[in-house]
Structures are given as C-alpha cells and as structure tokens.
Amino acid sequence: VKGPLSRPSVHVSLLSRALSLMDDYSFTNLRAGTDISDLKAGVPSDLRLDISADSASIAGTMIQALKVELEKKAKVITIRQGSASMGAGTLTAGGSVTMEDPLEKTALNLTVKASNIDLEKMTLKGGAKLPLAGILTGDAVANGVFENPKLSINATAPFIAAAGLKVDGVKVKVSGDTTSMRIEDLSGKVGNGSMSVTGDVRLTPFASDLEINGKSLELNPLLSRFEKLKPLNITGKADLEFQGRFGKGGNSGSGKATSASVRVMGMEITNIVLPLALDGERLTSPDGAGRLYGGKILNDFALNLSGMTFYDEVEIKDTDVDALLKDAFNLQGHITGRAELFAKLNGSLGEQL
C-alpha cells in the first residue's frame, strides 16, 4: 500500500509454489499481480492482471515460462499478451472473453499460435514423451459461447514420424467443437507418393474413426527412420488402405497394403497383397502373399506397436534359384533348380520414430 491516506494505491500479488485446478490444470511457482489505484473506491470493475508460472500442465501437456497479461474492462477480458514455451518452440495467445451470466453463455474469441514445436521434445504430465517426431507450426481458434465453442486447427510440418514411419510436407486442418472434431485434411508426401487421413474424433471420452489411404508410397523414405531395416535396402512403391477406430476403449481396424514390386537386398517380390488387422496394440498381417521368381511367398506377420517387437513366419515355394541368386548376389554362371524355404523370425525394430 502506498500513496496519500485519503487515496491509497495497492499492489496485490499472489504466489503459489504448486496449484491444481479441476485435475486438468496445474502450475508450478504461479505468480499473479494487479494494481488498484484507488482503494477507497473498492475493488474496481476494470483492472489489469499479470500472471506467470515457471511451468504448467494443460490437459496433460507440459509448458514452460508461462506469461499472460490480462485487461478487464466492464464485461470484456482481453489477452494483451500471452506466451509460453513448449517442445523447444513457442506458443502465443490473443483474443478476448466477454463474460455473461450464466457462465455457459460467455463469448470466446481466442487464438493460440504455435511456432516450431519439436514433438520429440514435448513432455506429458509424469514425464512421458509423445510417440511422434517432427517440427510443428500452426494455430488454433476458439469462437462462440463457452458452453460449446467452435474450434479450428490448421498446422504444417516439414515431416511427421510415428511408429517408425515418416511422412514429409504434412498439412493438418481440423474443425469442430468441444464434443467432436472432423479431420478435413491430414496429408503428406512419401517420396513421390501421398498419404492422407480423414475421419472424426470425439474428445470425451476420446475415440476416433479414421480412414487412412496411401498411394504410390515410396518405401525407402517411408521406412528411413528404422535403422535396423537399412541393411535390407527395401525399395519399391506400395498402396495402403486402412479403416480403424482408436481410443481409450482399445484400437481396432482392418485394411490392406499392396505392391506390384518390392526389392529387398536386391531380390524382387511381385504381386504383393498384405491383409492388415489391428487389435489393441497388435498389428497383424495374416495370409500375406506375393510372387518370388516364379514361385510363391507366403507371410504371417505380427507387430506389437507398444514395444515395436515382431514375429514373422515366411514360406517360399517353388522359387527359381538361378534368377534369385543373380539379383541378390550378381552371380555369374548358373545354378539351376527350384527352392522351398520355411523360416520363423522374431526381434525388435528398435525405438526409432
């Protein structure tokens, strides 16, 4: 308190080492302060409020160096400045909130911009990391009444990698409200091919129905983050169709991957058809089939997505040995005959994103 006794001014400040609100929001070293210029007149209806925190958890996502400057005039609260760091990038916020009674009718006009958010460096509450890699830039807008505002998200990334698969030139466009969101565009390039995802996402409880399509996906760049696959020198193009449901109740889905030709260590496999089935964290490809130098190759594959461990049974029937060895080892001369092989493989693809 300072100033003349007849008209003192007051600076009010609050410090909390740890504060939690509604389970979804928590703050470390939260500080808030405001100035009241005429205490004799009581708490003013118009004021400015400065808020900062060393770190915060917003809906389970950690941010650092939070700083917000608010200005209240009558019923309107304006964000004069809002900033924070997340994933080695920055967040900025602006807009206004017009208070109404009841609270559900309060009007929102808010924008949050994200710049160069490194998904690998993002941290969730408890220290967990996102199973994603990439540098994300974009914005999110909330307009309408507090009860159920309209939401829209637009973002881009030079690349996004998940579960070992890498997609370049990613674009994201999502819109909806607090109950459900529609993925209008989630697309990218894989070499000269393209990948797209469309579908609906329900937020509470979380669940999504997605349709994934890939056309002429180049396998070498798609699998480039799997270090253990590089010695196999996998090349070729593939198409992908998959429909799935993802959520807290479990994951499920089905589809297929097809390719006219794929080379593995120089050996060419043609007419490939791989059925796909997702159940929880387990992705399987039962009864996969292809052609291998005049013979057949049959495949039964399973991948645990949570640990990236796999099991595979491969059977080769009636394959031309001479043609196979010429491609695989650039063999001079001829070795005639037909070959059959049955093998069981298991291991880990590693933790590469």
Side-chain angles (χ1 to χ4, degrees):
V1 180
K2 64 180 181 179
L5 187 62
S6 61
R7 194 175 180 181
S9 61
V10 179
H11 177 76
V12 181
S13 62
L14 165 73
L15 172 63
S16 175
R17 300 297 181 190
L19 178 66
S20 296
L21 301 171
M22 300 184 295
D23 295 329
D24 289 330
Y25 306 91
S26 63
F27 303 87
T28 301
N29 291 332
L30 175 69
R31 295 170 292 275
T34 188
D35 291 309
I36 302 174
S37 59
D38 186 1
L39 184 62
K40 190 174 181 180
V43 178
S45 60
D46 296 349
L47 55 81
R48 290 183 59 174
L49 180 65
D50 297 330
I51 302 171
S52 63
D54 290 351
S55 64
S57 174
I58 309 297
T61 301
M62 297 300 299
I63 62 175
Q64 291 77 38
L66 173 67
K67 184 177 181 181
V68 181
E69 295 180 9
L70 302 176
E71 181 178 62
K72 180 181 181 296
K73 289 187 176 181
K75 298 193 300 181
V76 180
I77 300 173
T78 302
I79 301 176
R80 293 174 56 87
Q81 177 184 338
S83 62
S85 62
M86 181 174 71
T90 59
L91 297 174
T92 57
S96 63
V97 177
T98 303
M99 303 300 296
E100 299 289 353
D101 188 17
L103 178 64
E104 289 80 3
K105 302 303 179 184
T106 292
L108 305 179
N109 181 18
L110 302 173
T111 300
V112 176
K113 296 183 180 293
S115 179
N116 298 320
I117 305 299
D118 189 334
L119 299 178
E120 279 189 286
K121 295 181 179 179
M122 283 183 60
T123 304
L124 303 180
K125 191 174 182 180
K129 298 289 187 180
L130 282 178
L132 299 169
I135 307 295
L136 193 68
T137 295
D139 60 71
V141 177
N143 278 304
V145 296
F146 180 80
E147 186 176 34
N148 191 22
K150 300 298 181 184
L151 306 174
S152 65
I153 299 171
N154 290 275
T156 59
F159 77 92
I160 295 289
L165 306 179
K166 179 173 174 285
V167 180
D168 297 313
V170 176
K171 299 177 182 179
V172 181
K173 184 177 182 180
V174 181
S175 63
D177 53 35
T178 55
T179 59
S180 65
M181 303 286 284
R182 175 69 182 172
I183 300 175
E184 300 177 29
D185 182 19
L186 176 51
S187 60
K189 303 289 289 183
V190 181
N192 292 322
S194 62
M195 177 85 80
S196 66
V197 179
T198 56
D200 297 295
V201 180
R202 292 179 297 283
L203 303 181
T204 307
F206 177 79
S208 61
D209 294 294
L210 304 179
E211 183 172 331
I212 304 170
N213 287 284
K215 298 294 183 183
S216 300
L217 304 174
E218 293 193 29
L219 298 180
N220 190 269
L222 179 66
L223 304 173
S224 62
R225 293 178 69 89
F226 281 122
E227 293 293 332
K228 293 183 178 180
L229 294 182
K230 287 185 177 180
L232 300 180
N233 191 25
I234 300 173
T235 61
K237 296 182 179 182
D239 294 336
L240 172 67
E241 300 173 5
F242 190 86
Q243 292 181 328
R245 170 168 289 189
F246 306 85
K248 289 186 177 180
N251 305 323
S252 62
S254 62
K256 66 177 179 179
T258 60
S259 177
S261 174
V262 171
R263 286 190 178 272
V264 180
M265 297 179 66
M267 296 177 289
E268 184 181 29
I269 307 170
T270 59
N271 300 331
I272 298 170
V273 178
L274 299 177
L276 299 172
L278 176 66
D279 184 6
E281 296 293 325
R282 185 177 172 85
L283 178 66
T284 59
S285 178
D287 302 321
R291 303 290 299 179
L292 184 66
Y293 299 102
K296 292 182 179 180
I297 180 169
L298 305 175
N299 185 72
D300 191 351
F301 179 79
L303 175 65
N304 183 339
L305 296 175
S306 62
M308 300 306 290
T309 56
F310 70 90
Y311 176 82
D312 195 13
E313 290 186 0
V314 180
E315 185 175 4
I316 296 172
K317 295 182 177 181
D318 200 31
T319 290
D320 184 340
V321 173
D322 187 50
L324 184 151
L325 293 178
K326 282 185 180 298
D327 275 357
F329 303 105
N330 196 24
L331 190 68
Q332 302 297 317
H334 296 279
I335 298 178
T336 59
R338 316 294 289 187
E340 295 192 1
L341 172 70
F342 180 79
K344 293 183 178 181
L345 310 171
N346 64 80
S348 170
L349 294 177
E351 298 180 353
Q352 291 83 359
L353 289 174

